[in-house]
Amino acid sequence: MSFATWITFVIAACIIAVSPGSGAVLSMSHGLSYGVKKTTGTILGLQAGLLMILFIAGAGVGSLLLASEVAFNIVKTIGALYLIYLGFSQWRARVVVAAKSEAAQVVPPSLKRRMLTGFLTNATNPKGIIFMVAVLPQFITRGAPLLPQLLILAVTMCGIDLIVMHSYAFLASSMQRFFRDASAVKKQNRVFGGMLMAVGTALFFVKRGSQT
């Protein structure tokens, strides 16, 4: 892989990471609800899901998945239903008020649960699979060993995505002071819950030939 190819991939990875999607919505939602530190677990889960999609695409399995309408629809349905479930759970999230400060707080799930949520959000995203299968081969040098190239691309993409997702979480967490009462937190939960459900619903309309 040449340096010019790598730089081009860096630009593409930045565009992918910054583009709004289910990962960005989840990072902002958890950042606002739990703060940046606790959202790190969620973001690490997102990276694990991203790595799985990248290596699936790199190994050629993604092409086989896209070639099978049944397999693609199964992944699409699972991903859509999972995001809708996340959104519904966010909508109904329990809000507690601390006795001393009277500040409203959302009870965070365990680290394991946050990481699993992030992983499943990316791993079941058919749009991510489509994009990887369509774009990744453009940066693979034929005739050169595949694994080292995939590792370079994986480290690059995850490094960029870690920075971008933490930035989303930080921007959202900086607004926590505006959500100090139970009513405001409930509204916040419903906004992000509605966004996740909307993204999930939109996945039902993703087609195999789409590359967006």
Side-chain angles (χ1 to χ4, degrees):
M1 179 187 298
S2 67
F3 181 74
T5 299
W6 180 76
I7 287 295
T8 305
F9 181 77
V10 168
I11 296 173
C14 288
I15 295 173
I16 296 169
V18 173
S19 299
S22 55
V25 174
L26 187 66
S27 297
M28 289 188 290
S29 174
H30 283 198
L32 185 55
S33 297
Y34 315 135
V36 178
K37 185 177 180 180
K38 291 186 181 298
T39 305
T40 295
T42 306
I43 295 173
L44 289 176
L46 287 171
Q47 303 318 304
L50 186 62
L51 282 174
M52 191 188 78
I53 291 178
L54 188 146
F55 281 101
I56 284 177
V61 179
S63 297
L64 296 177
L65 176 64
L66 295 186
S68 171
E69 184 173 357
V70 174
F72 179 78
N73 284 334
I74 289 174
V75 173
K76 179 177 71 172
T77 301
I78 292 174
L81 291 177
Y82 183 68
L83 285 178
I84 292 173
Y85 163 76
L86 283 182
F88 184 70
S89 298
Q90 180 84 11
W91 186 286
R92 299 179 65 252
R94 184 165 63 94
V95 177
V96 297
V97 178
K100 293 182 179 180
S101 64
E102 296 299 319
Q105 299 175 342
V106 178
V107 179
S110 65
L111 172 61
K112 182 179 179 180
R113 180 68 178 273
R114 296 195 304 274
M115 292 184 69
L116 182 61
T117 297
F119 172 76
L120 292 176
T121 296
N122 266 352
T124 60
N125 185 355
K127 294 185 71 175
I129 296 173
I130 291 173
F131 191 88
M132 286 294 183
V133 172
V135 173
L136 198 64
Q138 313 303 319
F139 300 96
I140 299 294
T141 301
R142 294 184 179 181
L146 178 61
L147 184 58
Q149 295 185 78
L150 287 178
L151 289 175
I152 292 173
L153 296 177
V155 171
T156 300
M157 174 160 281
C158 287
I160 292 171
D161 202 63
L162 275 170
I163 295 173
V164 173
M165 292 303 110
H166 273 97
S167 297
Y168 276 130
F170 175 77
L171 289 174
S173 68
S174 65
M175 299 179 64
Q176 281 184 325
R177 64 182 181 276
F178 299 112
F179 296 88
R180 302 292 290 176
D181 62 86
S183 177
V185 173
K186 286 181 179 179
K187 290 179 181 178
Q188 168 244 305
N189 284 340
R190 291 180 177 179
V191 168
F192 282 104
M195 290 173 67
L196 285 170
M197 286 189 282
V199 173
T201 301
L203 287 185
F204 281 114
F205 300 95
V206 173
K207 303 297 183 182
R208 283 188 299 161
S210 175
Q211 296 180 12
T212 58

